Amino acid sequence: PARGRSPTAMLRQASRGLTLPRAFARRGLAMAARFTAYGEPMNVLKLEEVPDPPAPASGEVSVRMLAAPVNPSDLNMVEGTYGIRPPLPAVGGSEGLGRVTAVGPGVASPNVGDLVVMGSPMLGTWQTQLNAPAAAVIPVPFLEGIEPAYAATLTVNPAAAYRMLHDFVALSPGDVVVQNGATSMVGQAVVQLARDMGVTTVNVVPHDKPDRDRWTGTLLELGADVVVGDDDVNAPWFRELMADLPPAKLGLNCVSGTGATEVARAVGRGATVVTYGGLSKEPVVVPGEALVQKGLAMRGFWLSAWNEQASVEERVTMLEELAKKIKTRNLVFFYVQHDFDDFSFALQTSLEVSRSLRKTVLNMDYPDRLAEKRTPEEMEAFSHSAIY
């Protein structure tokens, strides 16, 4: 995977009069990406030194974070537009992978040294160390040996794809699914999971997406059967293509607006259309004839709600199945990784539309490259010169 800017590049910037963040200058202190008000992520999120968490209280565990992705829902939470609003001040991030470093009184599981993922939202994974209720993390020994950036991104996007393919319609080999937002990480997971189920996918992508031909080729390599631009879904040739396929039983919509219209028109009579996002920031628009004449079932899906009602055993079973697919290379993701001390740049890249095929992942376990090359006296001198 691609990585973020190197410390050398940051030092070159400092030499041109820019100031290095304290996090970089004085590595070793606890760090957190915090926000004290809701708003544009680039404006309100700040990487700050924070006190080390206290020893875990009764029923708590301390977790050293290893990797944490930047999801659209994380950014919506910072904006204050998500279905959950954390109390302020707050630390960003809801998904991630970590290792337990201490347990409080009364904790039977997990144990020190266990690998865990977050089982509850709003734990604030964009920090190097956190304390959480033991019941809010899930031990995942089956993720040992998997690249941390992969393991850290397993519980949201691939899980959402898995649930939507299993929970709404009984799909069999030869069935057809139509989805928009196919270049998203959920969309990529849908393509690969459906491929292994023998299910045909018809994938709609934005017609004005940069490098659309490259993204189309990538989706086809992942196992997509049909990839079409959203400007072609009403074309006669597309209608003929859909007529040659079995009627689509399931539609997945993360765009909303007219994107939902396109999916509703493409699926077959009696199909179910599941909305799980609103990238267009517009209401779901479905023609009356699609509801009346086709008898469509319009459903909504929110993974956070499923997580609340599902048992730990159900969640672990799903994650184990996804982990097996990763280990056999039947489920692959594309990501760009940035060391946590370069958070602002990582956040900026996550907001760039042209990078939407790649997930931005924060490497929380980055090496202290300066300390490897400098004596303690030199580090102290560098710290003062960089900050002041």
Side-chain angles (χ1 to χ4, degrees):
R3 295 184 66 86
R5 295 177 299 174
S6 68
T8 303
M10 297 183 71
L11 285 170
R12 284 199 296 268
Q13 286 187 340
S15 69
R16 293 196 294 266
L18 298 178
T19 302
L20 283 173
R22 290 178 64 100
F24 182 77
R26 297 177 61 190
R27 176 73 160 89
L29 297 175
M31 303 301 304
R34 301 173 70 247
F35 58 105
T36 58
Y38 300 112
E40 290 295 324
M42 287 297 297
N43 295 333
V44 300
L45 278 165
K46 306 295 180 185
L47 185 63
E48 300 174 351
E49 292 177 356
V50 295
D52 287 329
S58 178
E60 287 188 340
V61 296
S62 290
V63 178
R64 169 70 180 174
M65 296 304 300
L66 301 176
V70 180
N71 291 313
S73 57
D74 296 325
L75 302 179
N76 293 153
M77 202 174 294
V78 174
E79 294 167 341
T81 60
Y82 194 60
I84 303 173
R85 286 166 62 102
L88 300 176
V91 176
S94 292
E95 187 181 24
L97 178 78
R99 198 172 293 279
V100 176
T101 58
V103 301
V107 173
S109 177
N111 299 309
V112 172
D114 283 355
L115 203 62
V116 295
V117 294
M118 306 301 109
S120 299
M122 298 193 300
L123 292 180
T125 56
W126 297 347
Q127 55 186 321
T128 52
Q129 186 89 19
L130 62 84
N131 284 357
V137 300
I138 301 175
V140 284
F142 47 86
L143 294 184
E144 294 283 2
I146 294 178
E147 174 71 26
Y150 265 77
T153 58
L154 200 61
T155 61
V156 174
N157 295 156
Y162 182 96
R163 294 263 56 96
M164 289 189 292
L165 289 174
H166 287 83
D167 292 354
F168 293 93
V169 175
L171 295 171
S172 301
D175 286 340
V176 177
V177 172
V178 178
Q179 68 165 339
N180 57 29
T183 57
S184 69
M185 191 170 173
V186 174
Q188 295 171 49
V190 165
V191 166
Q192 296 171 82
L193 296 176
R195 175 203 64 207
D196 290 352
M197 297 167 66
V199 171
T200 298
T201 57
V202 177
N203 304 273
V204 181
V205 300
H207 70 277
D208 56 352
K209 187 176 183 63
D211 297 328
R212 170 179 156 183
D213 290 344
R214 181 158 62 92
W215 300 150
T216 297
T218 299
L219 288 173
L220 292 172
E221 288 179 3
L222 291 177
D225 298 283
V226 178
V227 182
V228 59
D230 57 12
D231 55 340
D232 288 328
V233 293
N234 293 315
W237 70 263
F238 180 72
R239 289 195 292 270
E240 293 174 6
L241 182 150
M242 293 303 296
D244 289 338
L245 295 172
K249 289 185 176 181
L250 179 66
L252 303 177
N253 164 52
C254 70
V255 176
S256 295
T258 57
T261 308
E262 295 156 359
V263 172
R265 284 177 172 158
V267 297
R269 189 179 304 274
T272 296
V273 176
V274 180
T275 293
Y276 66 98
L279 294 178
S280 67
K281 299 184 186 293
E282 297 176 358
V284 173
V285 179
V286 179
E289 65 268 18
L291 290 174
V292 176
Q293 297 171 16
K294 283 189 172 181
L296 300 184
M298 305 299 296
R299 302 286 301 275
F301 176 73
W302 188 24
L303 184 64
S304 294
W306 184 86
N307 286 338
E308 286 184 3
Q309 58 85 30
S311 67
V312 173
E313 291 74 20
E314 287 178 295
R315 297 177 70 178
V316 168
T317 297
M318 173 184 65
L319 293 176
E320 281 188 298
E321 186 171 340
L322 293 172
K324 288 177 182 176
K325 290 182 176 295
I326 289 175
K327 290 180 177 179
T328 57
R329 303 296 293 172
N330 286 316
L331 181 61
V332 299
F333 314 136
F334 302 95
Y335 63 89
V336 54
Q337 187 166 255
H338 299 269
D339 290 344
F340 189 43
D341 60 357
D342 209 5
F343 177 76
S344 293
F345 186 73
L347 183 61
Q348 180 182 344
T349 62
S350 74
L351 296 170
E352 294 177 6
V353 176
S354 62
R355 292 179 180 266
S356 61
L357 194 68
R358 293 176 179 266
K359 174 71 66 177
T360 296
V361 179
L362 302 171
N363 174 26
M364 316 299 288
D365 195 32
Y366 56 96
D368 190 351
R369 299 180 184 88
L370 285 181
E372 293 172 355
K373 300 181 181 299
R374 293 174 180 265
T375 66
E377 293 77 12
E378 289 174 326
M379 282 295 295
E380 182 64 22
F382 178 82
S383 172
H384 285 284
S385 64
I387 297 171
Y388 304 111

